[in-house]
Amino acid sequence: MKPLREFDIAFVGLKPGVHSFQYEIGESFFEHFEGERDFSDCKATVNLSLDKKINFFLLKFEIGGTVTVTCDRCGQPYELQLWDEFNQIVKMVDNPEEMASEDADPDVAYISKTESHLNVAEWVYEFILLSIPMQRIHPDTADGKSGCDPKVIEMLERMNQQAKENDNPIWKGLDKFKDN
């Protein structure tokens, strides 16, 4: 059995126009891909809109859901909301390998005119990864305070204060030139 077969779209039987697909992504989806992940407990929904034209497709991926990530500030896990959208163009050509090597645009993919199916699993994987921000910090609470672990925040503030107290007095005179 071919893995991730549910991500195959048989486009030959589709009429020109817009077609919608929805995928529920869980942890088992990521087992089919190599590499380390810095998140867990993914619960994502991918809404795919495929606009079929004569010799190409316009794909629009809408990513939503949650993943658990580790906060960069306090080191505690928290649930991160996902929301992003991505566009992909797929052109049907006689020589897809040659066209792909000539065109460096990542938003354009090429498939052979003899193909009958389009597998979108790789794009779903890539777009979920791209929808997770590089910097991950607990969002603030409703009262405006940091959502981070209060003990860690207190320790960071103490360390910052100690660093200020331990400044070398040689440089103190130069502080007046900082703002100039």
Side-chain angles (χ1 to χ4, degrees):
M1 186 174 106
K2 182 180 172 186
L4 301 174
R5 190 178 179 111
E6 65 268 22
F7 293 91
D8 279 343
I9 298 174
F11 59 83
V12 172
L14 296 178
K15 294 180 181 180
V18 178
H19 304 274
S20 297
F21 303 89
Q22 187 174 38
Y23 303 100
E24 296 297 324
I25 308 299
E27 282 298 300
S28 61
F29 173 77
F30 296 96
E31 295 169 2
H32 299 281
F33 298 92
E34 293 182 19
E36 299 255 342
R37 291 186 295 135
D38 54 355
F39 63 91
S40 62
D41 198 27
C42 179
K43 295 178 185 99
T45 301
V46 178
N47 292 314
L48 170 60
S49 170
L50 182 146
D51 189 359
K52 182 178 179 184
K53 305 291 185 185
I54 300 297
N55 285 323
F56 66 98
F57 309 114
L58 299 173
L59 304 175
K60 181 178 180 180
F61 294 84
E62 293 178 357
I63 311 292
T66 60
V67 293
T68 300
V69 296
T70 302
C71 178
D72 292 336
R73 183 184 298 147
C74 71
Q76 299 297 318
Y78 75 99
E79 192 172 83
L80 175 73
Q81 234 16 72
L82 297 178
W83 188 90
D84 218 335
E85 50 183 56
F86 301 91
N87 295 312
Q88 184 73 41
I89 299 172
V90 179
K91 294 183 179 181
M92 299 177 69
V93 295
D94 291 323
N95 48 357
E97 292 83 19
E98 184 181 322
M99 292 296 292
S101 65
E102 290 176 9
D103 188 5
D105 188 352
D107 295 335
V108 179
Y110 298 94
I111 61 171
S112 174
K113 287 184 177 181
T114 60
E115 291 288 328
S116 62
H117 289 75
L118 178 66
N119 189 292
V120 296
E122 192 74 35
W123 288 315
V124 169
Y125 173 76
E126 182 179 321
F127 294 151
I128 287 174
L129 293 182
L130 288 172
S131 65
I132 299 172
M134 291 192 64
Q135 185 176 26
R136 301 159 191 164
I137 296 177
H138 276 96
D140 290 342
T141 59
D143 59 358
K145 294 182 180 178
S146 172
C148 289
D149 184 346
K151 292 178 184 175
V152 174
I153 296 298
E154 183 182 317
M155 183 179 67
L156 288 172
E157 288 172 357
R158 264 194 323 239
M159 290 172 65
N160 196 16
Q161 186 63 33
Q162 287 173 353
K164 286 180 183 176
E165 291 170 3
N166 293 337
D167 278 348
N168 190 335
I170 282 180
W171 306 110
K172 292 252 186 234
L174 296 175
D175 284 343
K176 62 184 173 188
F177 297 110
K178 266 187 182 176
D179 296 328
N180 291 339

